[in-house]
Amino acid sequence: MAVRVQHEDFDVGAEMARLTAGRTDIGAVVTFTGRVRGEAKGQPIASMMLEHYPGMTEQELARVEAEAWKRWRLQASLIIHRIGELKPGDNIVLVITASAHRQAAFEAAEFLMDYLKTRAPFWKKETAPDGTGHWVDARESDEAAAKRWEVA
Amino acid sequence: MTGSNGTTVKLLYFAWVREKVGRAEEVVELPNHLETVADVISWVKSRGPEYASAFERSEVIRAAIDQRHVQPSASIRGAREIAFFPPVTGG
């Protein structure tokens, strides 16, 4: 279990190799990478600034990760989220889940993304090519995606 | 720290709330009669036009006490740090 919040890019292959090195109990690894799109609502964007709440961000990511470990039988997991100024095509977020069999890894990866999107204190501001900035609105579909994991 | 003059807490603002308020954080003395997060929002709104503008649509603003998400009805008793921000948009 690990979470990292960083300016630097990440290397998916290197992170996966490090997470699984020497582990013969891991039969399935799922990786999810979120990237910056070049347009938003049909308009091109030049860059995206990711702001966060230092301290709470790490705690919230760790809480989300701990929740996944309670629900699924995981062997390893990693969450990396970038902050600062990013360009279209840049990586934003990496989630890796590893388990003995695929179902736990698939489901836990999806759960981690859905939960972190509605809980982790990050905010995106997009800048258009003409320099105007625009805070990204939260999507109701993200809220709905997180809700479906709620335990009745 | 609760005294006769009120409670000293750090307020933090993020994203467009921060931009509208014009600062990222400040230490304030909250009046003793404030009990909930919603009370703090009402009080903050009265501090000046920039606060009134930032908290105009207070129903969309989220809050955290000591780095944990809370509802508007949450008690601020014992709080050291109260943060206000728009719905999060990471991932």
Side-chain angles (χ1 to χ4, degrees):
Chain A
M1 279 172 79
V3 303
R4 298 206 313 257
V5 178
Q6 62 188 43
H7 281 91
E8 308 77 56
D9 194 13
F10 48 78
D11 179 329
V12 182
E15 296 297 343
M16 187 174 117
R18 195 172 308 143
L19 202 67
T20 55
R23 298 284 301 270
T24 54
D25 56 328
I26 294 172
V29 180
V30 168
T31 74
F32 172 85
T33 307
R35 301 171 79 242
V36 182
R37 279 184 302 273
E39 59 174 60
K41 293 176 182 163
Q43 302 298 315
I45 72 158
S47 65
M48 173 184 277
M49 177 63 76
L50 262 150
E51 179 173 333
H52 79 126
Y53 183 171
M56 180 169 171
T57 309
E58 292 81 355
Q59 289 182 57
E60 205 58 39
L61 290 175
R63 284 195 276 268
V64 169
E65 191 181 39
E67 183 64 30
W69 279 70
K70 269 199 255 169
R71 296 184 185 210
W72 289 277
R73 200 171 254 256
L74 297 177
Q75 309 294 337
S77 64
L78 173 68
I79 303 173
I80 300 178
H81 204 298
R82 295 182 69 194
I83 50 171
E85 183 165 306
L86 303 177
K87 302 281 184 200
D90 282 353
N91 292 325
I92 305 175
V93 61
L94 172 66
V95 163
I96 306 182
T97 50
S99 53
H101 303 283
R102 70 183 183 282
Q103 190 182 9
F106 270 133
E107 291 182 6
E110 202 172 4
F111 167 86
L112 285 174
M113 279 308 303
D114 286 347
Y115 257 47
L116 85 81
K117 267 184 151 331
T118 56
R119 307 240 170 140
F122 292 101
W123 300 273
K124 290 173 179 153
K125 187 178 193 178
E126 295 164 345
T127 300
D130 67 3
T132 55
H134 169 78
W135 289 100
V136 174
D137 281 325
R139 293 153 55 108
E140 282 182 21
S141 57
D142 288 337
E143 196 65 45
K147 278 225 160 49
R148 74 201 161 102
W149 297 103
E150 278 178 11
V151 182
Chain B
M1 267 194 300
T2 304
S4 55
N5 296 323
T7 307
T8 305
V9 298
K10 187 160 137 185
L11 300 184
L12 295 96
Y13 312 105
F14 292 95
W16 54 256
V17 179
R18 169 181 57 73
E19 287 184 347
K20 288 187 175 186
V21 166
R23 56 179 67 181
E25 60 179 72
E26 60 187 324
V27 173
V28 300
E29 191 121 319
L30 296 179
N32 277 330
H33 66 270
L34 303 184
E35 291 176 358
T36 65
V37 168
D39 292 344
V40 176
I41 290 177
S42 301
W43 177 79
V44 167
K45 267 169 113 165
S46 71
R47 300 185 73 217
E50 66 275 34
Y51 293 95
S53 159
F55 288 85
E56 190 181 5
R57 293 188 301 139
S58 57
E59 72 282 0
V60 305
I61 292 180
R62 303 291 188 263
I65 291 180
D66 295 336
Q67 308 194 350
R68 275 184 178 269
H69 291 291
V70 292
Q71 296 296 317
S73 58
S75 166
I76 58 163
R77 187 181 294 269
R80 295 180 303 276
E81 190 172 298
I82 306 176
F84 297 105
F85 43 80
V88 301
T89 54

